[in-house]
Amino acid sequence: MCIRDSVYQGDIGHSANSKVSDYSGSDDARRTPFRFTDEPNVYYTERHADGSFTYHVALKDDGNYVLNLKFAEMWFQEEGKRVFNIKIGDTRVVKDLDVFAKVGRFAAHNEWIPLELRKKQLFFQGKAIKGGVEDSGQFMEIKFEQGKVDNPMVDAIVVFKGTLSDTDYAHQERLRTHWNDFLLEKEYG
């Protein structure tokens, strides 16, 4: 699937204990306008597990990367029902994520995680991440860790080569903070 400048590939690199839920046929999802994104189709399917699960994502060369994790709460209708953590290797990069508490139901939430790969070693906030990449230095391990309540999930994983300014971060933040302006522009051109 290609949306704007991003090409989304099939769902690969996930642990075998995880499964997919597709909400695109849900009556609630079809009736409710999706908020804070101009690419809602990315958020209608999610990967989750009964417990923690992992992804192994390819990194090509040394340099800066930004990991963009995309989430939408499609199931729960109140905050505090799904709370989980995200680790890269042994380093927790997001703690106690409750997507509903951040944006509500049927709304896009993005986590932006700047990283650096240097000589087969991954760094987050200037500190080396133990177990962040496999021995080959080509695959980053992302763990969606069961937290306080229910099970973790993710809708999409995007890896940008470069820094935050090389991503669509500014566009995504404008959508979130100026959502009503976006709707008016879309409706009236």
Side-chain angles (χ1 to χ4, degrees), residues 8-171:
Y8 291 87
Q9 297 177 343
D11 191 20
I12 58 173
H14 53 81
S15 55
N17 69 316
S18 61
K19 53 192 166 218
V20 173
S21 289
D22 184 349
Y23 294 97
S24 62
S26 155
D27 288 341
D28 282 349
R30 284 197 313 264
R31 282 194 307 261
T32 307
F34 213 91
R35 295 175 297 130
F36 309 140
T37 184
D38 54 357
E39 48 185 37
N41 291 336
V42 170
Y43 298 89
Y44 284 122
T45 57
E46 74 180 32
R47 181 156 297 276
H48 63 276
D50 296 329
S52 301
F53 67 98
T54 59
Y55 267 91
H56 288 91
V57 177
L59 300 176
K60 292 186 179 188
D61 303 310
D62 281 0
N64 292 313
Y65 289 87
V66 177
L67 177 63
N68 174 214
L69 303 173
K70 295 179 175 282
F71 302 94
E73 183 57 69
M74 305 293 282
W75 183 258
F76 292 110
Q77 299 180 36
E78 60 186 276
E79 64 183 78
K81 295 295 184 179
R82 183 194 318 259
V83 181
F84 59 96
N85 305 307
I86 302 162
K87 285 181 155 182
I88 298 176
D90 292 340
T91 300
R92 184 179 293 145
V93 295
V94 178
K95 182 180 180 184
D96 295 332
L97 178 59
D98 182 340
V99 175
F100 190 97
K102 297 264 188 190
V103 294
R105 192 170 183 217
F106 302 124
H109 173 70
N110 291 282
E111 288 288 334
W112 301 88
I113 303 163
L115 301 163
E116 181 185 3
L117 180 64
R118 192 175 345 129
K119 297 180 182 174
K120 298 184 182 182
Q121 177 67 60
L122 202 56
F123 293 83
F124 173 65
Q125 296 178 340
K127 296 180 182 172
I129 297 174
K130 183 179 178 186
V133 290
E134 294 177 353
D135 291 337
S136 68
Q138 294 180 325
F139 292 94
M140 167 176 49
E141 181 184 85
I142 307 167
K143 184 175 187 179
F144 297 88
E145 181 180 56
Q146 188 171 24
K148 297 176 181 177
V149 186
D150 204 69
N151 297 305
M153 58 83 166
V154 65
D155 294 296
I157 298 171
V158 180
V159 178
F160 292 94
K161 180 85 163 99
T163 64
L164 206 54
S165 63
D166 298 314
T167 71
D168 65 344
Y169 171 80
H171 173 74

